[in-house]
């Protein structure tokens, strides 16, 4: 696991954005695994900038997103489908058919998971972008999720719902379930780039960098992967002794 320590969110977004941008230049038909939430927004802004400056093209890029709430329509601003269009896809030349975002049909949850798992089985993600939850979740793999888990419907913890409340009007509106890529599918990516910045991530970074591997802290599975880059900042590392 390689750690890149940046000054702040802005610098971390540039560094992580450049890793992805360089990789797109090197392999124009790259397969990217993408995340939502606050952490990757700056990265997406950098990628849009590079696209506008004609440094990169998304014409042949394929993407697979990590997760999506259950019970929220795609046209709802809180859906991850909406988020991805709003923060990245609407601003670059990606082809709609190359975008994959899991969707769980409320009446066919099991089938929805199988369908996404099948799509992931057929592909190899070159770079998987991750954020990290305060409780160590990656995707929406909450603590205790087995490391061999494939796409499934997760019951979100109260901590995660509380953390994500900021995107909704009230806590009650935050869905209690989501569909998420499993840890096994995340770990299949050739390279993983995790971005963690700000003091809200300090406890999570302390735990991740303790190197203990346990299902109690899902991100610790990343210690079992050969090529992980953690792009982080001073605040997120404030509880880690040098
Ligand atoms: C989002 C996702 C989550 C987030 C995590 C951190 O697709 O999979 O694991 O990365 O909850 O969220 P932020 O970045 O909002 O702190």
């Amino acid at each position: 696991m390689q750690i890149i320590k940046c000054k702040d969110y802005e610098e971390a977004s540039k560094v992580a954005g450049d890793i992805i941008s360089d990789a797109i230049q090197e392999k124009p038909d790259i397969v990217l695994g993408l995340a939502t939430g606050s952490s990757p927004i700056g990265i997406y802004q950098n990628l849009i900038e590079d696209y506008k400056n004609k440094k990169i093209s998304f014409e042949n890029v394929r993407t697979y997103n990590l997760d999506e709430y259950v019970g929220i329509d795609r046209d709802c601003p809180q859906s991850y489908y909406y988020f991805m269009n709003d923060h990245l896809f609407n601003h670059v030349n990606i082809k709609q058919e190359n975008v994959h975002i899991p969707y769980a049909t409320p009446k066919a949850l099991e089938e929805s998971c199988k369908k996404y798992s099948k799509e992931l089985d057929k592909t190899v993600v070159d770079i998987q972008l991750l954020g990290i939850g305060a409780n160590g979740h990656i995707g929406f793999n909450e603590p205790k999720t087995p490391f061999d888990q494939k796409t499934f419907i997760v019951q979100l913890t109260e901590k995660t719902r509380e953390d994500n409340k900021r995107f909704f009007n009230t806590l009650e509106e935050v869905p209690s379930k989501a569909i998420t890529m499993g840890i096994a599918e995340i770990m299949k990516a050739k390279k993983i780039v995790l971005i963690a910045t700000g003091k809200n991530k300090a406890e999570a970074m302390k735990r991740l960098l303790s190197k203990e591997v346990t299902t109690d802290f899902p991100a610790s599975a990343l210690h079992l992967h050969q090529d992980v880059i953690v792009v982080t900042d001073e605040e997120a590392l404030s509880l880690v002794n040098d």
Side-chain angles (χ1 to χ4, degrees):
M1 182 176 283
Q2 185 194 345
I3 315 293
I4 303 181
K5 182 176 179 177
C6 301
K7 195 164 118 330
D8 53 18
Y9 179 78
E10 204 184 328
E11 190 181 311
S13 300
K14 175 83 176 98
V15 167
D18 282 351
I19 293 172
I20 297 174
S21 190
D22 291 351
I24 297 174
Q25 286 178 66
E26 220 166 273
K27 187 178 179 192
D29 61 348
I30 197 167
V31 181
L32 297 175
L34 297 179
T36 58
S38 306
S39 305
I41 292 176
I43 296 176
Y44 296 152
Q45 282 167 353
N46 279 296
L47 291 177
I48 293 167
E49 193 72 18
D50 286 353
Y51 165 71
K52 286 190 176 151
N53 292 331
K54 303 202 179 341
K55 240 174 103 184
I56 52 171
S57 165
F58 284 78
E59 170 138 39
N60 296 309
V61 172
R62 281 188 294 139
T63 64
Y64 289 83
N65 261 78
L66 281 168
D67 40 22
E68 177 63 283
Y69 290 118
V70 172
I72 287 195
D73 287 339
R74 287 190 145 177
D75 56 4
C76 179
Q78 282 90 3
S79 80
Y80 287 169
Y81 181 88
Y82 189 103
F83 175 102
M84 287 310 301
N85 285 330
D86 198 29
H87 288 287
L88 180 63
F89 299 147
N90 284 349
H91 311 280
V92 297
N93 63 335
I94 197 156
K95 293 180 185 145
Q96 186 64 38
E97 69 263 31
N98 286 343
V99 167
H100 305 82
I101 299 178
Y103 180 77
T105 312
K107 284 193 179 136
L109 295 177
E110 188 105 326
E111 289 75 6
S112 306
C113 294
K114 279 197 188 133
K115 188 169 159 239
Y116 200 56
S117 245
K118 244 188 192 168
E119 290 183 42
L120 293 171
D121 275 349
K122 282 189 287 188
T123 195
V124 178
V125 170
D126 291 293
I127 300 185
Q128 175 66 57
L129 178 60
L130 295 178
I132 184 170
N135 62 3
H137 71 225
I138 47 175
F140 269 141
N141 292 274
E142 299 280 33
K144 303 279 184 210
T145 307
F147 289 172
D148 62 357
Q149 181 71 55
K150 292 179 119 187
T151 302
F152 72 117
I153 302 293
V154 59
Q155 189 73 39
L156 298 174
T157 61
E158 283 315 298
K159 171 75 184 136
T160 297
R161 292 184 66 238
E162 188 66 45
D163 284 348
N164 287 0
K165 193 178 75 179
R166 64 191 193 279
F167 299 110
F168 295 81
N169 293 320
T170 62
L171 178 63
E172 289 66 44
E173 279 180 29
V174 185
S176 54
K177 284 187 181 143
I179 179 169
T180 182
M181 229 188 243
I183 294 176
E185 290 155 337
I186 292 172
M187 294 288 282
K188 242 181 56 182
K190 287 191 199 161
K191 182 186 205 73
I192 295 177
V193 176
L194 182 144
I195 177 159
T197 61
K199 55 179 179 316
N200 290 345
K201 301 293 162 78
E203 282 291 345
M205 286 308 288
K206 183 180 171 192
R207 193 136 185 218
L208 179 66
L209 299 186
S210 78
K211 299 203 177 109
E212 186 202 358
V213 176
T214 164
T215 54
D216 289 345
F217 192 74
S220 68
L222 300 176
H223 289 295
L224 306 174
H225 193 284
Q226 295 308 305
D227 188 359
V228 177
I229 302 180
V230 177
V231 184
T232 182
D233 72 352
E234 289 170 8
E235 282 189 354
L237 291 175
S238 56
L239 301 177
V240 178
N241 301 319
D242 288 328

